[in-house]
Amino acid sequence: MIQDYDIIVVGGGHAGNEAAAAAANLGSSVLMVTMNMNTIGQMSCNPAMGGIAKGQIVREIDALGGYSGIVSDASTIQFRMLNRSKGPAMWSPRSQNDRMRFAENWRSMLENTPGVDFFQDMVSQLSFDKNGRLNGVVTSMGIKISARAVILTSGTFLNGLIHIGEKQFGGGRAGERAAHGITEQLISLGFDHGRMKTGTPPRLDGRSIDYSKMEVQDGDAEPGSFSYLDIAKLPQQLPCHITYTSPEVHDVLRTGFDRSPMFNGRIQAQGPRYCPSIEDKIDRFADRDRHQLFVEPEGLNTVEVYLNGFSSSLPEEVQAEALRLIPGLEQVKIFRPGYAIEYDYFPPTQLRHSLETKLVEGLYFAGQINGTTGYEEAACQGLAAGINAHLKLREKEAFVLGRSEAYIGVLIDDLITKGTEEPYRMFTSRAEYRILLRQDNADLRLTPRSYEMGLAGEERIRRLDEKREGMNALLGTLRKESIEPEEIESALQELGSAPLRQKVKAASLVPRPHFPLRALGESNAQIAACLADLQSKGEGLANEIIDSVEILLKYEGYIEKEQEMADKLQRLEKIVLSEHFDYAALKGLSIEAREKLSKVKPHTIGQASRISGVSPSDISVLMLHVGR
């Protein structure tokens, strides 16, 4: 009934979708097995993409030829660039999305990707040949499907358990059953596993909300995008709104704490530290008399509303009573209450940097199965797993991004090297080279590498060449043209910037605080002509070029220093350690280092240096040994 495939992707969420698309676009035959084809690309939690550091990840996925940026842009109903008041290393794009269109676009793009097939069923176990090699999967209907590699992207479905107050029932998401069988088989194969928890807020009826009592949060006047390609966007932006809890709301919520699975011990799993439930916020931050809530529309053509910041597993009647004490929600109707969900995960130290498991050749994990949280974190893992599964089958070197190359590289290295005991979320602070890893230069960093292996297409490399040419032309003009003091005097006065005393090169003015590069076009005919030529290439590309050049000039010294540091540390990444290295026999290492190194089995000296408990002196011992 079903043909043999190169790769089977288990799951149709953000990780599974990117994995299937990447592997197929590289030339592999791919089968996506999902429990429900109607929920492919479903936004299980908030209807938004991007945010702090997450927006950089979406741009990196797009630069590599992934689909998340394209799907997000085509379904965006509000776009904001966060942290504009800070330096460009902190700028992070975020979109509010139409939930239904987002999923529709994902499925449409996958269905129009040659090489991707679909089958609706639950995978109950992996299949192995008589020699113990992975050779496919078996579904709950008993159908054996053959493949040379398998990518597990199971999300919250592995033995998922939903909690609402004292009620609990199996499920991987509201209204969908949990997946059973895989965890037990992986444990029998020798994998360590654990449990994690996440939650979601109640969904509300927008017709019953009084928005006049809330603060309006509009999108950017000139909205940007995630994809470097020109994507047709939705014709209008919708506002979000902000409201707040109060001491009265907190008092009502506390009445349900004795029935909360988080407090009465029924949930043992660790939840996300940086996205706590409302009851967790009240307990941990008892001195706070209010918490901010974001009232977010679910789409253009629905009244359903997502209450960001009110994740809860309290009894539904307690949730309802508390909600109606919040300004604007006095008459609110609830479509469904918030809930918590527990699920199985597998500590990611059991993986290689390619996301292939160390115990089973040809088996890859991506997404929440690795202990991460968030659509963006899942999607980039799926992309990496899809690429590497394809390369492995062609006996090619794995595609691994370094920490100075991409946030994706930081995320995967953190997981593989340090592991995680709570849901891992990406932040800019996790990246030591964040000035290099900006959202504006993801294409410059990653598209050439993707193009070399055949994932990024001709259109992407052509646009990148245009961007490079434009940046070089503008930088050349700014470094060549001189500005007389009288030409820029009025602009400097308006900005409160010190006047010029002599003629200077235009490029030297850009690093001044709050000085916009575009102001130079009003003072110099050659610069004005260069800017006009950029505009002829299209407004989106022109804005990208101008912003990137402005960032390079303003932060040139910092960028150079960070690049020098990255180059120095990169030497350690080139010293490869054998997977069979006997650390226990190396007596010069500390006992803790021997234990940690034996468990993680680092691929390089660089990775070994980032393992908690491995000291600089341990690294010196390793380097001396390798040198001999």
Side-chain angles (χ1 to χ4, degrees):
M1 183 172 120
I2 300 174
Q3 69 180 67
D4 294 348
Y5 289 88
D6 290 327
I7 298 168
I8 290 174
V9 175
V10 181
H14 301 265
N17 291 353
E18 288 289 4
N25 283 326
L26 285 168
S28 286
S29 59
V30 178
L31 178 69
M32 174 183 283
V33 183
T34 176
M35 294 166 66
N36 185 352
M37 286 187 62
N38 292 322
T39 56
I40 289 174
Q42 179 87 337
M43 295 178 121
S44 305
C45 202
N46 63 321
M49 290 291 284
I52 307 302
K54 293 166 171 278
Q56 283 89 326
I57 289 177
V58 179
R59 295 217 95 191
E60 290 176 353
I61 291 170
D62 184 75
L64 288 167
Y67 287 177
S68 288
I70 296 171
V71 171
S72 298
D73 288 346
S75 58
T76 293
I77 55 176
Q78 189 193 94
F79 188 93
R80 296 174 65 220
M81 184 66 75
L82 307 182
N83 281 341
R84 274 284 192 184
S85 62
K86 300 180 181 178
M90 302 292 287
W91 295 356
S92 302
R94 182 185 189 273
S95 67
Q96 200 70 34
N97 294 87
D98 186 308
R99 184 188 298 275
M100 289 183 285
R101 293 195 187 193
F102 186 92
E104 179 186 17
N105 287 333
W106 249 124
R107 177 163 173 174
S108 176
M109 289 196 71
L110 288 172
E111 288 182 351
N112 285 282
T113 299
V116 177
D117 288 347
F118 305 87
F119 191 71
Q120 182 170 295
D121 198 356
M122 184 184 80
V123 170
S124 57
Q125 62 180 351
L126 304 171
S127 172
F128 296 86
D129 64 20
K130 60 183 179 181
N131 297 315
R133 289 183 59 86
L134 179 71
N135 67 355
V137 301
V138 178
T139 74
S140 62
M141 290 193 289
I143 298 173
K144 163 74 166 61
I145 309 173
S146 297
R148 297 159 64 199
V150 175
I151 303 174
L152 285 181
T153 68
S154 48
T156 59
F157 281 76
L158 289 183
N159 293 327
L161 188 63
I162 292 173
H163 297 266
I164 304 177
E166 295 176 299
K167 302 169 186 174
Q168 61 181 46
F169 44 91
R173 189 162 48 205
E176 297 181 58
R177 60 180 174 146
H180 302 285
I182 292 290
T183 292
E184 293 73 19
Q185 185 184 25
L186 291 175
I187 292 171
S188 73
L189 292 170
F191 284 90
D192 292 333
H193 88 296
R195 295 282 278 176
M196 281 191 176
K197 177 203 87 126
T198 190
T200 191
R203 304 309 199 272
L204 310 177
D205 186 340
R207 297 169 298 183
S208 63
I209 295 175
D210 184 354
Y211 293 105
S212 67
K213 296 182 178 179
M214 302 178 180
E215 301 171 22
V216 178
Q217 186 182 52
D218 290 314
D220 291 345
E222 296 181 12
S225 59
F226 285 113
S227 182
Y228 289 97
L229 302 177
D230 294 323
I231 307 300
K233 300 176 185 136
L234 293 182
Q236 67 185 101
Q237 291 198 79
L238 295 183
C240 295
H241 291 80
I242 298 174
T243 187
Y244 298 88
T245 62
S246 64
E248 293 74 24
V249 174
H250 300 175
D251 288 342
V252 169
L253 292 170
R254 287 190 185 97
T255 66
F257 278 13
D258 61 330
R259 290 175 288 159
S260 167
M262 191 181 77
F263 292 118
N264 63 20
R266 280 215 317 277
I267 292 182
Q268 298 292 330
Q270 187 67 39
R273 178 190 302 266
Y274 302 103
C275 189
S277 64
I278 189 66
E279 53 263 40
D280 196 20
K281 289 181 195 175
I282 294 168
D283 183 58
R284 283 167 53 190
F285 308 108
D287 57 322
R288 297 276 299 273
D289 59 6
R290 71 174 191 169
H291 293 283
Q292 194 174 47
L293 303 174
F294 297 90
V295 183
E296 301 175 343
E298 298 254 346
L300 287 177
N301 301 312
T302 179
V303 297
E304 189 171 357
V305 168
Y306 180 91
L307 189 60
N308 197 341
F310 201 89
S311 172
S312 179
S313 58
L314 289 167
E316 60 270 31
E317 67 273 15
V318 175
Q319 293 185 41
E321 185 180 352
L323 284 171
R324 291 177 183 137
L325 294 173
I326 295 170
L329 303 182
E330 292 85 355
Q331 305 298 321
V332 76
K333 294 179 181 178
I334 300 171
F335 282 164
R336 71 172 185 265
Y339 62 87
I341 181 168
E342 282 184 285
Y343 55 94
D344 292 334
Y345 86 104
F346 291 81
T349 50
Q350 301 171 101
L351 304 176
R352 297 184 171 89
H353 273 85
S354 62
L355 297 182
E356 183 183 26
T357 66
K358 295 174 181 176
L359 286 174
V360 178
E361 188 175 1
L363 177 63
Y364 295 77
F365 292 170
Q368 285 177 282
I369 191 173
N370 289 335
T372 61
T373 180
Y375 308 145
E376 304 82 1
E377 289 88 345
C380 73
Q381 291 173 70
L383 180 73
I387 291 170
N388 282 314
H390 169 85
L391 294 175
K392 169 98 175 181
L393 298 183
R394 271 75 185 167
E395 298 182 350
K396 293 183 179 179
E397 186 179 350
F399 176 75
V400 176
L401 292 167
R403 296 181 71 90
S404 62
E405 291 181 284
Y407 272 93
I408 298 173
V410 174
L411 181 146
I412 292 175
D413 185 66
D414 276 354
L415 293 175
I416 305 312
T417 304
K418 302 173 184 176
T420 185
E421 295 179 355
E422 62 183 48
Y424 177 101
R425 180 179 178 181
M426 178 52 73
F427 292 100
T428 52
S429 58
R430 295 191 190 273
E432 58 269 45
Y433 306 114
R434 53 188 171 273
I435 300 177
L436 301 179
L437 308 182
R438 306 181 309 277
Q439 58 83 30
D440 68 282
N441 69 351
D443 55 342
L444 295 166
R445 291 184 275 119
L446 300 175
T447 298
R449 284 197 63 181
S450 181
Y451 181 72
E452 284 172 13
M453 68 178 163
L455 185 54
E458 294 291 338
E459 184 182 2
R460 287 187 179 277
I461 207 70
R462 176 191 58 76
R463 190 182 187 282
L464 179 61
D465 288 341
E466 280 188 43
K467 180 175 177 177
R468 277 196 178 126
E469 289 170 10
M471 288 179 66
N472 290 336
L474 182 54
L475 278 167
T477 302
L478 294 171
R479 285 175 171 149
K480 175 186 173 185
E481 292 298 312
S482 297
I483 301 292
E484 298 285 355
E486 58 272 17
E487 291 176 324
I488 200 73
E489 182 180 4
S490 61
L492 293 177
Q493 281 181 348
E494 284 182 27
L495 292 167
S497 190
L500 286 184
R501 298 185 182 277
Q502 60 187 20
K503 182 169 68 172
V504 298
K505 294 297 183 185
S508 69
L509 287 167
V510 178
R512 289 192 172 207
H514 311 299
F515 186 91
L517 186 155
R518 288 172 174 82
L520 292 169
E522 301 168 10
S523 308
N524 182 282
Q526 292 299 321
I527 297 174
C530 185
L531 293 174
D533 183 59
L534 292 178
Q535 290 294 334
S536 69
K537 300 176 184 293
E539 186 178 354
L541 182 57
N543 289 339
E544 261 185 56
I545 291 170
I546 293 167
D547 286 347
S548 292
V549 168
E550 188 166 354
I551 289 167
L552 284 174
L553 290 174
K554 282 187 183 293
Y555 298 90
E556 195 166 23
Y558 297 102
I559 292 170
E560 286 175 0
K561 284 181 182 178
E562 198 161 274
Q563 188 62 61
E564 286 174 14
M565 188 188 305
D567 292 341
K568 284 180 182 177
L569 293 175
Q570 187 62 29
R571 289 178 297 178
L572 298 180
E573 302 296 339
K574 293 179 180 176
I575 306 174
V576 177
L577 296 168
S578 168
E579 194 172 306
H580 306 293
F581 195 106
D582 186 3
Y583 296 100
L586 201 54
K587 302 303 180 186
L589 295 174
S590 68
I591 294 174
E592 184 179 7
R594 276 181 257 167
E595 291 175 356
K596 297 283 181 69
L597 291 166
S598 298
K599 181 178 181 181
V600 175
K601 293 184 173 62
H603 181 61
T604 66
I605 293 280
Q607 185 190 357
S609 70
R610 294 188 292 275
I611 297 173
S612 175
V614 177
S615 69
S617 60
D618 293 319
I619 295 301
S620 297
V621 171
L622 267 181
M623 291 185 72
L624 282 171
H625 184 81
V626 172
R628 291 199 191 99

